[in-house]
Amino acid sequence: MQRVLKYALAGATSALVGLGASAPTAHAWTLAQASAPYKGMTVTVVGLDRPSYKAAEKLTPEFEKETGIHVKWVNYPYENTLKAETLNFVSHSKQFDAILTDVVWPVDFTRAHWVVPVDHFLADKAIADPAIDIGDFFPVWRHAFTVGGKLIGLPFDSYAGLLYYNKKILKEHGFSGPPTTWTQLLNDYAAKLYDPSKNLYGYALQSARGETQTADSFTRFLWPWGGRYFDAKAKKMTLDSKAAIAGETFRQELVKYMPKGIIADDHSQVVQLMGQGQLAMITEWSAFYPTLKASSIGNDLGVTVEPKGPNGRYSAFGGFAYMVSAQVPAKEQNATWLFIQWLTSKAMAQPLIENGAVVARKSADTDPALDAKYPYLKPMVETWENGSVPDWRPQIACYPYFSELVSDYGSEIEAGKYPVAKGLKLLNAKLQHYMNSTGCWNSVNLPKR
């Protein structure tokens, strides 16, 4: 309750800055006053079975108590979320109010006019908190959710790819710290730390078929080597380039030192192996820090930025934002906006972090007290500021099938079914045909970097 009151007063304080006022007035913006017309309404929010949403659900009663607006959470596995939301829209069921979008979904949602741009709500002084401070969101996150020049959602559950390492294992094998380049990780660390007889492996890469293969495995060895998915201006796929071949060939060399069956492992399996002390290093999302810290290796857990590749440091980038459905009535939209605005506010960032969430608010992520308590924050911030690109995965309207092709061929290359160059040539041709035949080139969104 105190946190909500603090949030409500934040708008009032901001509005009075420079006016010489010493206390909020009856005309200052507060969450309670803004919510009064919507008291008794219910807002349905799409969530995931992940730490950030558990933290949000835990804190939601504070919003409900302050506003009188009820919040209903509907959680899905990530793999089912896009289908559920798309069905909601095409059937006009109006089942969801707060729509969750991955960084690769906004193009579809905006082209179909399914969501309301943020500026619509910011223009309404009755519901726009003067303290919202859009500029406090890291630029890479604002750019990731900007389509056609318009911000279409507020970032929530925001990830950076990080390198987690077991300090004890590295020290026992003569290493004073983690590698700083991928070449070091392969040549200096992986072979020395590889001991299957003791269930010890230097590194593991979650590679399960699906979005994990696309976003975590395949793409992780594309950007750092100078590879790209395509040349949007030329409308040409470039996955058969020398840079792409070099990156994916490097991945194949690294696979030799990983646990058998890694190609079928998703995040949970790799994080579990790390937590059990069988892995010296993994590259994983910042969201998994609380899980690893709570594991048996907690005191030995180290975290830093991902290694550099020959073309620089490009780390995995992924996360979500909340948008307001355009299909629900205007009054419902406003109530939904009030919840999203509250959830992603500067005032709520610290309690969310303390309850296991990851947020994209610079004011919280760079707070010295929080940095000291949560060591993943500094490398996460460094990654977002220097090693992230918002189109790590292509932002295109036809992304689901595009990703399916990448996942299928990426998995088969990793499994050794195709030599790297041949597999990439086949994948490149498939994607070129798909992009040409569907007209998907016209939907490419190239966010500002």
Side-chain angles (χ1 to χ4, degrees), residues 81-164:
T81 306
L82 178 60
K83 182 178 179 180
E85 292 183 328
T86 302
L87 181 61
N88 164 78
F89 284 127
V90 298
S91 66
H92 291 271
S93 68
K94 301 179 182 179
Q95 181 182 358
F96 308 131
D97 301 300
I99 305 299
L100 187 68
T101 178
D102 194 352
V103 293
V104 286
W105 302 342
V107 176
D108 268 330
F109 290 147
T110 54
R111 283 166 61 92
H113 305 290
W114 286 340
V115 294
V116 184
V118 168
D119 59 7
H120 170 82
F121 301 104
L122 295 180
D124 188 342
K125 294 182 179 180
I127 58 173
D129 179 7
I132 187 171
D133 194 0
I134 296 294
D136 187 51
F137 291 109
F138 284 90
V140 70
W141 285 105
R142 299 199 307 271
H143 299 158
F145 295 110
T146 296
V147 180
K150 291 187 176 182
L151 183 66
I152 50 83
L154 297 184
F156 180 76
D157 195 26
S158 312
Y159 306 160
L162 300 175
L163 179 68
Y164 294 98

Side-chain angles (χ1 to χ4, degrees), residues 327-349:
Q327 291 186 345
V328 301
K331 192 172 182 180
E332 212 165 306
Q333 291 177 9
N334 289 348
T336 303
W337 166 257
L338 287 169
F339 175 72
I340 293 174
Q341 181 178 230
W342 170 83
L343 180 65
T344 62
S345 68
K346 292 170 73 172
M348 291 306 298

Side-chain angles (χ1 to χ4, degrees), residues 392-448:
W392 171 262
R393 291 168 288 162
Q395 291 194 0
I396 49 180
C398 52
Y399 181 78
Y401 186 63
F402 184 102
S403 176
E404 184 178 326
L405 287 172
V406 174
S407 170
D408 287 348
Y409 279 89
S411 295
E412 290 173 350
I413 291 170
E414 188 172 353
K417 180 177 179 179
Y418 295 117
V420 173
K422 181 179 179 180
L424 288 178
K425 184 177 181 180
L426 291 170
L427 172 59
N428 201 73
K430 284 273 188 180
L431 288 172
Q432 185 74 52
H433 175 74
Y434 177 60
M435 295 290 285
N436 290 346
S437 62
T438 59
C440 203
W441 289 115
N442 298 325
S443 73
V444 175
N445 185 49
L446 296 175
K448 181 180 178 182

